[in-house]
Structures are given as structure tokens and as C-alpha cells.
Amino acid sequence: MATKKQAPFTEQFAELEEITRWFERGDVDLDEGLKKYERGLVLAALCKDRLREIENTVISLKKQYEADNSEESGTLL
């Protein structure tokens, strides 16, 4: 079963920003506003999940780097 490919983070974030600007204009249609609000919630969740993934990767890389450095410094003493 093929999975639907998600848009890149930058595209999702840009769409979320556009929705925010749309609401900030003030004179909004209630029905369209509800659809945009729902889409905004979806986009916010997707962006939050992606940022969490990136944060976990950075933490993992940092731990790996620190472990590699401590092993190297241990052999130099």
C-alpha cells in the first residue's frame, strides 16, 4: 500500500502562516474561516511533529558525538 507523501515542512509552515495572515485581515467569511481553522490545526500538528522528530535527531547526534569524544579523549590520556 502506497502512503501519501507529505509536503515539506517549509511548505506546511508557509501555508500555516498564510492562514494566520488571512485571519488577521479581519473581514472573514465564517464558513471559510472554519475550514481554514481546521486546516491550520492539521498543519500546526504536522509542523509540531516534524520539529519533535528533528529535535530527537539532534539530541541523538549530540549524545553520539559526546560519546565519541569521550572515547577518543579516554585513549589519549
Side-chain angles (χ1 to χ4, degrees), residues 57-76:
T57 300
V58 168
I59 290 169
S60 177
L61 290 170
K62 185 177 177 184
K63 286 179 183 178
Q64 180 182 350
Y65 177 78
E66 289 171 350
D68 289 347
N69 274 347
S70 66
E71 289 174 8
E72 289 176 13
S73 65
T75 60
L76 295 175

Side-chain angles (χ1 to χ4, degrees), residues 16-72:
L16 185 57
E17 285 182 318
E18 179 56 37
I19 290 170
T20 301
R21 285 190 294 274
W22 185 85
F23 275 105
E24 289 173 346
R25 286 194 293 256
D27 187 25
V28 297
D29 176 72
L30 187 60
D31 291 327
E32 188 176 356
L34 182 58
K35 290 176 187 176
K36 287 186 180 289
Y37 180 76
E38 183 177 13
R39 177 64 179 156
L41 290 175
V42 169
L43 289 167
L46 290 170
C47 289
K48 183 178 177 182
D49 289 345
R50 183 65 180 130
L51 288 172
R52 187 177 302 118
E53 289 173 11
I54 292 169
E55 180 181 27
N56 289 338
T57 300
V58 168
I59 290 169
S60 177
L61 290 170
K62 185 177 177 184
K63 286 179 183 178
Q64 180 182 350
Y65 177 78
E66 289 171 350
D68 289 347
N69 274 347
S70 66
E71 289 174 8
E72 289 176 13

